[in-house]
CSV table of all heavy atoms in Angstrom, one decimal:
chain,number,residue,atom,x,y,z
A,32,ARG,N,4.7,5.5,-5.2
A,32,ARG,CA,4.8,5.3,-6.7
A,32,ARG,C,3.9,6.5,-7.3
A,32,ARG,O,4.3,7.3,-8.2
A,32,ARG,CB,4.3,4.0,-7.2
A,32,ARG,CG,5.5,3.1,-7.6
A,32,ARG,CD,5.0,2.0,-8.3
A,32,ARG,NE,5.9,0.8,-8.1
A,32,ARG,CZ,5.7,-0.5,-8.4
A,32,ARG,NH1,4.4,-0.8,-8.6
A,32,ARG,NH2,6.7,-1.3,-8.4
A,33,LEU,N,2.7,6.5,-6.8
A,33,LEU,CA,1.7,7.5,-7.3
A,33,LEU,C,2.2,9.0,-7.1
A,33,LEU,O,2.3,9.8,-8.0
A,33,LEU,CB,0.4,7.4,-6.5
A,33,LEU,CG,-0.8,8.0,-7.2
A,33,LEU,CD1,-1.1,7.2,-8.5
A,33,LEU,CD2,-2.0,8.0,-6.3
A,34,LEU,N,3.0,9.3,-5.9
A,34,LEU,CA,3.5,10.4,-5.6
A,34,LEU,C,4.7,10.8,-6.6
A,34,LEU,O,4.7,11.9,-7.2
A,34,LEU,CB,4.1,10.5,-4.1
A,34,LEU,CG,3.0,10.8,-3.2
A,34,LEU,CD1,3.8,10.8,-1.7
A,34,LEU,CD2,2.6,12.4,-3.4
A,35,MET,N,5.5,9.7,-6.9
A,35,MET,CA,6.5,9.9,-7.8
A,35,MET,C,6.1,10.4,-9.2
A,35,MET,O,6.6,11.2,-9.8
A,35,MET,CB,7.4,8.7,-7.9
A,35,MET,CG,8.7,8.9,-7.2
A,35,MET,SD,9.8,7.3,-7.2
A,35,MET,CE,10.2,7.2,-8.9
A,36,ILE,N,5.0,9.7,-9.6
A,36,ILE,CA,4.4,10.0,-11.0
A,36,ILE,C,3.9,11.4,-10.9
A,36,ILE,O,4.1,12.2,-11.9
A,36,ILE,CB,3.2,9.0,-11.2
A,36,ILE,CG1,3.9,7.6,-11.6
A,36,ILE,CG2,2.5,9.4,-12.5
A,36,ILE,CD1,2.8,6.4,-11.6
A,37,ILE,N,3.3,11.7,-9.8
A,37,ILE,CA,2.6,13.1,-9.8
A,37,ILE,C,3.9,14.2,-9.9
A,37,ILE,O,3.8,15.2,-10.6
A,37,ILE,CB,1.9,13.5,-8.4
A,37,ILE,CG1,0.6,12.7,-8.6
A,37,ILE,CG2,1.6,14.9,-8.3
A,37,ILE,CD1,-0.2,12.5,-7.3
A,38,VAL,N,4.9,13.9,-9.1
A,38,VAL,CA,6.2,14.8,-9.1
A,38,VAL,C,6.6,14.9,-10.6
A,38,VAL,O,7.0,16.0,-11.0
A,38,VAL,CB,7.2,14.3,-8.1
A,38,VAL,CG1,8.5,15.0,-8.4
A,38,VAL,CG2,6.7,14.6,-6.7
A,39,VAL,N,6.8,13.7,-11.2
A,39,VAL,CA,7.4,13.9,-12.6
A,39,VAL,C,6.5,14.6,-13.4
A,39,VAL,O,6.9,15.5,-14.3
A,39,VAL,CB,7.5,12.4,-13.1
A,39,VAL,CG1,7.7,12.3,-14.6
A,39,VAL,CG2,8.6,11.6,-12.3
A,40,LEU,N,5.1,14.4,-13.4
A,40,LEU,CA,4.1,15.2,-14.2
A,40,LEU,C,4.4,16.6,-14.0
A,40,LEU,O,4.3,17.4,-14.9
A,40,LEU,CB,2.8,14.7,-14.0
A,40,LEU,CG,2.4,13.3,-14.6
A,40,LEU,CD1,1.1,13.0,-14.3
A,40,LEU,CD2,2.4,13.5,-16.2
A,41,VAL,N,4.4,17.0,-12.7
A,41,VAL,CA,4.5,18.5,-12.3
A,41,VAL,C,5.8,19.1,-13.0
A,41,VAL,O,5.8,20.0,-13.6
A,41,VAL,CB,4.5,18.6,-10.9
A,41,VAL,CG1,4.8,20.1,-10.6
A,41,VAL,CG2,3.0,18.4,-10.3
A,42,ASN,N,6.9,18.3,-12.8
A,42,ASN,CA,8.2,18.7,-13.4
A,42,ASN,C,8.1,18.9,-14.9
A,42,ASN,O,8.4,20.0,-15.4
A,42,ASN,CB,9.2,17.7,-13.1
A,42,ASN,CG,10.0,18.0,-11.8
A,42,ASN,OD1,10.0,19.2,-11.3
A,42,ASN,ND2,10.5,17.0,-11.1
A,43,LEU,N,7.4,17.9,-15.5
A,43,LEU,CA,7.3,18.0,-17.0
A,43,LEU,C,6.6,19.3,-17.3
A,43,LEU,O,7.0,19.9,-18.2
A,43,LEU,CB,6.5,16.8,-17.4
A,43,LEU,CG,7.5,15.6,-17.8
A,43,LEU,CD1,6.7,14.4,-18.0
A,43,LEU,CD2,8.5,15.9,-18.8
A,44,ALA,N,5.4,19.5,-16.7
A,44,ALA,CA,4.6,20.7,-16.9
A,44,ALA,C,5.5,22.1,-16.7
A,44,ALA,O,5.4,22.9,-17.6
A,44,ALA,CB,3.4,20.8,-15.9
A,45,VAL,N,6.2,22.1,-15.7
A,45,VAL,CA,7.1,23.2,-15.5
A,45,VAL,C,8.1,23.4,-16.5
A,45,VAL,O,8.2,24.5,-17.1
A,45,VAL,CB,7.8,23.1,-14.0
A,45,VAL,CG1,8.8,24.2,-13.9
A,45,VAL,CG2,6.7,23.3,-12.9
A,46,LEU,N,8.8,22.3,-16.8
A,46,LEU,CA,9.8,22.3,-18.0
A,46,LEU,C,9.2,22.8,-19.2
A,46,LEU,O,9.7,23.7,-20.0
A,46,LEU,CB,10.4,20.9,-18.2
A,46,LEU,CG,11.6,20.6,-17.3
A,46,LEU,CD1,12.0,19.1,-17.5
A,46,LEU,CD2,12.8,21.5,-17.5
A,47,HIS,N,8.0,22.3,-19.5
A,47,HIS,CA,7.2,22.7,-20.8
A,47,HIS,C,7.0,24.2,-20.8
A,47,HIS,O,7.2,24.9,-21.8
A,47,HIS,CB,6.0,22.0,-20.9
A,47,HIS,CG,5.2,22.4,-22.1
A,47,HIS,ND1,5.6,22.0,-23.5
A,47,HIS,CD2,4.1,23.1,-22.3
A,47,HIS,CE1,4.8,22.4,-24.3
A,47,HIS,NE2,3.8,23.2,-23.7
A,48,HIS,N,6.6,24.7,-19.7
A,48,HIS,CA,6.3,26.1,-19.4
A,48,HIS,C,7.4,27.0,-19.7
A,48,HIS,O,7.6,28.0,-20.5
A,48,HIS,CB,5.7,26.4,-18.1
A,48,HIS,CG,5.1,27.8,-17.9
A,48,HIS,ND1,4.0,28.2,-18.6
A,48,HIS,CD2,5.6,28.8,-17.2
A,48,HIS,CE1,3.9,29.4,-18.4
A,48,HIS,NE2,4.7,29.9,-17.4
A,49,ILE,N,8.7,26.5,-19.1
A,49,ILE,CA,9.8,27.2,-19.2
A,49,ILE,C,10.4,27.2,-20.7
A,49,ILE,O,10.7,28.3,-21.3
A,49,ILE,CB,11.0,26.6,-18.4
A,49,ILE,CG1,10.7,27.0,-16.8
A,49,ILE,CG2,12.4,27.1,-18.7
A,49,ILE,CD1,11.5,26.2,-15.8
A,50,TRP,N,10.3,26.1,-21.3
A,50,TRP,CA,10.6,26.1,-22.8
A,50,TRP,C,9.8,26.9,-23.5
A,50,TRP,O,10.3,27.6,-24.5
A,50,TRP,CB,10.3,24.5,-23.2
A,50,TRP,CG,10.8,24.3,-24.6
A,50,TRP,CD1,11.9,24.1,-25.2
A,50,TRP,CD2,9.8,24.3,-25.7
A,50,TRP,NE1,11.9,24.0,-26.5
A,50,TRP,CE2,10.6,24.1,-27.0
A,50,TRP,CE3,8.4,24.4,-25.9
A,50,TRP,CZ2,9.9,24.0,-28.1
A,50,TRP,CZ3,7.9,24.3,-27.1
A,50,TRP,CH2,8.6,24.2,-28.2
A,51,LYS,N,8.5,27.0,-23.3
A,51,LYS,CA,7.6,28.0,-24.0
A,51,LYS,C,8.0,29.4,-23.9
A,51,LYS,O,8.1,30.2,-24.9
A,51,LYS,CB,6.2,27.7,-23.7
A,51,LYS,CG,5.4,26.8,-24.5
A,51,LYS,CD,4.1,26.7,-24.2
A,51,LYS,CE,3.2,27.7,-25.0
A,51,LYS,NZ,1.7,27.5,-24.7
A,52,LEU,N,8.4,29.7,-22.7
A,52,LEU,CA,8.7,31.1,-22.3
A,52,LEU,C,10.1,31.4,-23.1
A,52,LEU,O,10.2,32.4,-23.7
A,52,LEU,CB,9.0,31.3,-20.8
A,52,LEU,CG,7.8,31.6,-19.9
A,52,LEU,CD1,8.2,31.6,-18.6
A,52,LEU,CD2,7.3,33.0,-20.4
A,53,LEU,N,11.0,30.5,-23.1
A,53,LEU,CA,12.3,30.5,-23.7
A,53,LEU,C,12.1,30.8,-25.2
A,53,LEU,O,12.6,31.8,-25.8
A,53,LEU,CB,13.2,29.3,-23.4
A,53,LEU,CG,13.9,29.4,-22.2
A,53,LEU,CD1,14.7,28.1,-22.0
A,53,LEU,CD2,15.0,30.7,-22.1
A,54,SER,N,11.3,30.0,-25.8
A,54,SER,CA,11.1,30.0,-27.3
A,54,SER,C,10.4,31.3,-27.6
A,54,SER,O,10.7,32.0,-28.7
A,54,SER,CB,10.4,28.8,-27.8
A,54,SER,OG,9.1,28.8,-27.4
A,55,TYR,N,9.5,31.7,-26.8
A,55,TYR,CA,8.8,33.0,-27.0
A,55,TYR,C,9.9,34.1,-26.9
A,55,TYR,O,10.0,35.0,-27.8
A,55,TYR,CB,7.8,33.3,-26.0
A,55,TYR,CG,7.1,34.7,-26.1
A,55,TYR,CD1,6.2,34.8,-27.1
A,55,TYR,CD2,7.4,35.5,-25.2
A,55,TYR,CE1,5.5,36.0,-27.1
A,55,TYR,CE2,6.8,36.8,-25.3
A,55,TYR,CZ,5.8,37.1,-26.3
A,55,TYR,OH,5.2,38.4,-26.4
A,56,HIS,N,10.7,34.1,-25.8
A,56,HIS,CA,11.6,35.1,-25.6
A,56,HIS,C,12.7,35.1,-26.9
A,56,HIS,O,13.0,36.2,-27.4
A,56,HIS,CB,12.6,34.8,-24.4
A,56,HIS,CG,13.6,35.8,-24.1
A,56,HIS,ND1,13.4,37.0,-23.7
A,56,HIS,CD2,14.9,35.7,-24.2
A,56,HIS,CE1,14.3,37.6,-23.5
A,56,HIS,NE2,15.4,36.9,-23.8
A,57,GLU,N,13.2,33.8,-27.3
A,57,GLU,CA,14.0,33.9,-28.5
A,57,GLU,C,13.4,34.5,-29.7
A,57,GLU,O,14.0,35.3,-30.3
A,57,GLU,CB,14.2,32.4,-28.9
A,57,GLU,CG,15.4,31.8,-28.1
A,57,GLU,CD,15.6,30.4,-28.6
A,57,GLU,OE1,14.7,29.5,-28.4
A,57,GLU,OE2,16.7,30.1,-29.0
Side-chain angles (χ1 to χ4, degrees):
R32 266 191 195 159
L33 202 66
L34 272 172
M35 254 174 72
I36 289 170
I37 290 168
V38 167
V39 167
L40 281 176
V41 167
N42 271 332
L43 275 174
V45 168
L46 274 172
H47 178 75
H48 187 67
I49 289 171
W50 178 81
K51 266 185 88 176
L52 275 176
L53 276 176
S54 62
Y55 175 76
H56 183 69
E57 269 180 308

